[in-house]
Amino acid sequence: MNILLMPLLLSSAFAAVERSALYTPHWQDLNCQPGHKYLFAEIKTNWQEAREECELYGGGLLNLGSLQEQNCLLKYAHTNGLQHWYWHDANDIEYEGVWVHAGDNQELTWIHPFWTCDSSYSDAITGGDALLLSTFNTRSAGAWCDEPPELSYYFICEGNI
């Protein structure tokens, strides 16, 4: 190993340990989907880092499979005061307007009809390549937002943990 790279590698390792000591993820068994658990992240990252964090925790970025699953997650978020925008895995990175799940690249089988990127409610859609879910307890509850994946937001992980 190159001795010049050793301080950089050690620095990265200590940063990861320091972050994990500050943030311990908590999986929740919400009965939204049989055998699935969910993790509402308490940190903000860009979309790709959110995918990597979920994999690090043993799951994947949320694959919203139905309105019933989304409603279950909204009930949990509202009950626990979680009012944020959260990344989920839907994206149109490869082909604009062709929405797929990041985990398996399969096309979405449903699309939520309400899209906005304003937690106070507006018709604004900013246009990006990755989708967010609103858990605000406002008129925008459950809305999806199309944002650039480079921006930082909270995220939801899903896993068969």
Side-chain angles (χ1 to χ4, degrees), residues 74 77 102 104 108 113 117 157 159:
L74 278 175
D104 59 12
L108 274 61
C117 292
C157 301

Side-chain angles (χ1 to χ4, degrees), residues 19 41 43-54 61 86-88 93 130-132 147-156:
R19 183 169 65 165
I43 59 173
K44 291 182 178 183
T45 67
N46 68 44
W47 185 78
Q48 182 60 40
E49 289 172 350
R51 289 185 66 200
E52 293 167 3
E53 287 286 322
C54 289
L61 198 53
Y86 289 92
W87 288 123
H88 59 93
I93 291 170
L131 290 185
L132 295 160
E147 283 279 74
E150 298 80 22
L151 299 179
S152 290
Y153 288 97
Y154 294 100
F155 55 95
I156 302 172

Side-chain angles (χ1 to χ4, degrees), residues 20-30 37-42 57 76 82 155-158 161:
S20 67
L22 296 173
Y23 175 66
T24 303
H26 302 284
W27 288 97
Q28 304 293 327
D29 188 0
L30 305 178
K37 291 188 179 183
Y38 301 88
L39 185 150
F40 284 74
E42 299 171 8
Y57 305 148
Y76 175 80
L82 303 172
F155 55 95
I156 302 172
C157 301
E158 179 177 13
I161 309 299

